[in-house]
């Protein structure tokens, strides 16, 4: 199996943070991929039929904000390509109310069947992974050319929260942007699909999660404090909320 993250094409980098490619040519049993909260809407292409939770997975799936953890299951050889978008992308380029997709991914073909059914067919028939990526790049570039670019304020706010996902940052942003708490909440729910504090908590979890994966810590309590958790127990509760696992169980998974 080969898996790697890549930087997006410069044409789409204002809306796409990065993309993941997994190629697996020898699936002998069941392959599982956990789907955890990361604060990023995602466009997922898989070349084989699979399952997400108890439902069949489409070849092309559009995810909003993921809060409740799920598992993608595949039993055939596959190529998987996942584009991780900036948090405001759903409304800006897909013209989909983000609240509708929070914890409710949909088959992309339900949005624009004429356009996406052709894309799906070409993806399934493309001979190389590079060809599949080029098709997805061009599709996203087309969407961006028709995008609503009125996202400057929410882009600024989400960037600040990612950089410092503490409770204090929400109050600071409200003062800086000269908006009320209620207006701030409406802006997030409309553009992101979550309340500001829910989005902040996901960013906090994701920052600690990436540090956990890099193993750049000595003790779990240090990782908890470095990421703004009150103590180790608080961090473990948050981790279990977003993964259904404890940090220890996660690190031992597959070992």
């Amino acid at each position: 199996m080969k898996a790697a993250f890549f930087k997006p094409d410069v044409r789409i980098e204002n809306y796409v943070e990065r993309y993941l490619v997994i190629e697996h040519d020898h699936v002998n049993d069941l392959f599982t991929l956990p789907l955890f909260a990361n604060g990023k809407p995602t466009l997922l292409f898989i070349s084989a039929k699979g399952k997400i939770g108890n439902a069949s997975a489409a070849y092309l799936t559009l995810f909003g904000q993921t809060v409740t953890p799920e598992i993608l299951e595949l039993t055939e050889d596959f190529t998987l390509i996942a584009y991780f978008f900036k948090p405001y992308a759903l409304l800006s380029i897909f013209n989909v109310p983000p609240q509708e997709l929070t914890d409710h991914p949909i088959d992309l073909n339900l949005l624009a069947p004429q356009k996406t059914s052709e894309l799906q067919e070409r993806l399934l028939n493309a001979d190389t992974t590079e060809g599949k990526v080029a098709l997805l790049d061009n599709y996203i570039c087309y969407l961006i050319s028709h995008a609503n670019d009125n996202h400057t304020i929410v882009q600024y706010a989400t960037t600040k929260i990612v950089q410092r996902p503490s409770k204090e940052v929400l109050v600071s942003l409200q003062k800086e942007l000269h908006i009320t708490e209620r207006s701030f909440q409406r802006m997030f729910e409309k553009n992101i699909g979550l309340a500001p504090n829910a989005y902040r908590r996901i960013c906090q979890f994701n920052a600690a999660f990436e540090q956990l994966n890099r193993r750049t810590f000595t003790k779990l309590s240090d990782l908890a404090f470095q990421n703004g958790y009150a103590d180790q127990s608080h961090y473990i509760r948050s981790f279990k909320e977003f993964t259904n696992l404890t940090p220890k169980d996660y690190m031992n998974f597959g070992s």
Side-chain angles (χ1 to χ4, degrees):
M1 184 184 77
K2 295 188 296 183
F5 285 98
F6 298 91
K7 292 181 178 180
D9 186 294
V10 293
R11 297 175 299 163
I12 62 176
E13 64 183 1
N14 288 337
Y15 289 87
V16 178
E17 289 201 358
R18 59 182 178 172
Y19 67 94
L20 167 69
V21 175
I22 301 177
E23 298 171 282
H24 201 328
D25 297 328
H26 302 286
V27 178
N28 297 317
D29 194 3
L30 176 68
F31 175 87
T32 61
L33 182 69
L35 307 176
F36 297 153
N38 61 12
K40 303 171 183 64
T42 303
L43 177 58
L44 174 68
F45 166 73
I46 45 176
S47 62
K49 286 291 188 179
K51 290 177 61 179
I52 297 176
N54 295 319
S56 297
Y59 292 117
L60 279 166
T61 303
L62 183 63
F63 291 78
Q65 293 290 335
T66 296
V67 180
T68 305
E70 279 290 5
I71 298 289
L72 169 64
E73 297 180 345
L74 295 161
T75 57
E76 307 172 42
D77 297 353
F78 66 88
T79 297
L80 179 153
I81 305 172
Y83 278 67
F84 299 101
F85 289 90
K86 303 290 178 69
Y88 50 82
L90 284 182
L91 192 59
S92 294
I93 69 173
F94 289 98
N95 198 29
V96 177
Q99 304 99 312
E100 294 182 8
L101 296 191
T102 298
D103 274 340
H104 293 288
I106 63 167
D107 185 338
L108 188 67
N109 288 315
L110 296 177
L111 293 182
Q114 290 183 328
K115 184 71 179 176
T116 54
S117 60
E118 178 185 347
L119 171 66
Q120 177 175 295
E121 194 65 26
R122 294 179 69 187
L123 285 165
L124 292 171
N125 289 307
D127 293 330
T128 65
T129 299
E130 291 76 13
K132 298 179 197 300
V133 169
L135 287 167
L136 288 165
D137 282 350
N138 289 337
Y139 170 68
I140 295 167
C141 193
Y142 167 80
L143 294 178
I144 290 173
S145 70
H146 296 79
N148 170 14
D149 287 329
N150 187 25
H151 57 251
T152 305
I153 294 177
V154 74
Q155 178 182 4
Y156 178 80
T158 53
T159 300
K160 287 291 187 181
I161 293 171
V162 169
Q163 292 171 345
R164 188 167 67 93
S166 64
K167 291 182 180 179
E168 293 76 20
V169 75
L170 301 182
V171 176
S172 175
L173 277 168
Q174 289 170 39
K175 292 179 179 178
E176 187 177 353
L177 297 172
H178 303 289
I179 57 178
T180 65
E181 182 179 357
R182 181 60 189 138
S183 296
F184 193 57
Q185 181 162 330
R186 282 198 298 264
M187 179 183 74
F188 263 76
E189 290 173 347
K190 177 184 176 182
N191 291 276
I192 308 301
L194 293 170
N197 193 51
Y199 177 73
R200 180 200 66 78
R201 292 185 65 245
I202 286 175
C203 292
Q204 182 184 31
F205 157 75
N206 194 54
F209 183 65
E210 291 187 357
Q211 188 176 347
L212 183 76
N213 283 323
R214 294 192 302 267
R215 302 295 197 269
T216 55
F217 63 96
T218 304
K219 296 183 295 183
L220 201 61
S221 57
D222 292 339
L223 187 150
F225 290 130
Q226 288 168 15
N227 288 280
Y229 290 98
D231 51 37
Q232 182 173 316
S233 296
H234 183 203
Y235 171 58
I236 292 172
R237 286 196 301 272
S238 176
F239 193 95
K240 194 166 185 180
E241 174 188 354
F242 291 120
T243 67
N244 282 336
L245 299 166
T246 66
K248 182 179 179 181
D249 289 341
Y250 173 75
M251 287 188 289
N252 291 334
F253 186 73
S255 61

